[in-house]
């Protein structure tokens, strides 16, 4: 079952003296978060209204309704912001990282079970998926179409065609 509210970023500090917050984005970019007029705290239980937001370096600077001083802003430090998945339309073939973690990973040709996708690593050029086998050994596979052949969130499965030798092939 997909979560309604997804982690979007963390408030890491304040900016200036008028209550602006510095947010470290946990999504594709700080720019992505500028689209939202409402975000949430407390795992989605507390909506906060965004009065303004702008990108500054790798961070998002935002002003929340009712936060008009550095003292008030400082009370938000280290809080996680969430977004409502219903407020986002992803293009085909794009997924929320939080939905990918936990997928069972299978070989697209042999249907051999490799393990569970346990982590998405952001490397710059492309993401890398960490797959943890039943023996707790971790494997890394580039998240590119040549290797990732199918993702079915409803069935909780990912079909891959791995690089030869990545899973200790004995061929």
């Amino acid at each position: 079952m997909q979560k309604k509210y997804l982690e979007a970023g963390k408030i890491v500090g304040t900016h200036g003296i008028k209550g602006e917050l510095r947010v470290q984005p946990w999504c594709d970019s700080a720019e992505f978060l500028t689209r939202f007029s409402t975000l949430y705290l407390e795992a989605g239980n507390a909506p906060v209204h965004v009065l303004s937001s702008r990108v500054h370096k790798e961070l998002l600077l935002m002003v929340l309704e009712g936060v008009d001083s550095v003292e008030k802003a400082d009370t938000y430090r280290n809080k996680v912001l969430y977004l409502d998945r219903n407020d986002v339309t992803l293009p085909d073939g794009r997924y929320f990282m939080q939905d990918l973690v936990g997928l069972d990973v299978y070989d697209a040709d042999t249907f051999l079970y490799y393990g569970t996708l346990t982590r998405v690593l952001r490397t710059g050029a492309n993401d890398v998926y960490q797959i943890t086998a039943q023996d707790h050994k971790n494997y890394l596979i580039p998240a590119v179409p040549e290797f990732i052949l199918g993702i079915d969130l409803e069935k909780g499965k990912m079909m891959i065609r791995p690089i030869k030798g990545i899973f200790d092939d004995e061929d």
Side-chain angles (χ1 to χ4, degrees):
M1 185 172 137
Q2 295 178 339
K3 295 179 188 176
K4 178 175 171 57
Y5 297 100
L6 302 171
E7 294 176 352
K10 182 178 182 179
I11 300 169
V12 294
T14 62
H15 184 80
I17 60 170
K18 295 185 178 182
E20 202 166 27
L21 299 165
R22 291 185 308 124
V23 177
Q24 177 185 43
W26 291 350
C27 50
D28 283 352
S29 68
E31 179 74 31
F32 175 78
L33 291 179
T34 63
R35 302 181 196 176
F36 298 92
S37 58
T38 303
L39 292 169
Y40 302 84
L41 297 169
E42 300 172 22
N45 293 316
V48 291
H49 300 286
V50 180
L51 298 179
S52 68
S53 61
R54 61 190 170 100
V55 176
H56 178 69
K57 299 181 182 175
E58 307 262 329
L59 297 176
L60 179 73
L61 299 180
M62 71 170 37
V63 177
L64 299 179
E65 185 176 68
V67 180
D68 56 7
S69 71
V70 68
E71 293 81 15
K72 284 183 185 176
D74 201 45
T75 65
Y76 287 82
R77 185 184 304 266
N78 294 321
K79 294 189 183 250
V80 175
L81 288 167
Y82 294 80
L83 60 87
D84 184 335
R85 82 166 49 248
N86 295 323
D87 293 340
V88 180
T89 302
L90 294 177
D92 286 342
R94 298 285 304 243
Y95 304 93
F96 291 112
M97 286 187 268
Q98 295 167 64
D99 290 341
L100 297 175
V101 173
L103 291 179
D104 289 324
V105 181
Y106 294 88
D107 189 292
D109 300 316
T110 66
F111 303 106
L112 177 69
Y113 175 70
Y114 289 122
T116 304
L117 194 152
T118 52
R119 192 167 171 205
V120 178
L121 305 166
R122 307 298 306 264
T123 64
N126 56 266
D127 291 346
V128 174
Y129 295 154
Q130 177 179 294
I131 299 165
T132 303
Q134 290 176 316
D135 65 1
H136 304 289
K137 189 170 178 182
N138 291 319
Y139 301 93
L140 300 176
I141 186 163
V144 294
E146 294 85 358
F147 305 119
I148 310 302
L149 301 186
I151 294 173
D152 187 333
L153 295 179
E154 288 182 17
K155 292 182 180 176
K157 293 182 180 182
M158 176 182 289
M159 305 304 285
I160 67 171
R161 184 170 291 134
I163 302 166
K164 189 159 185 67
I166 200 165
F167 290 101
D168 297 326
D169 290 340
E170 296 179 16
D171 297 341

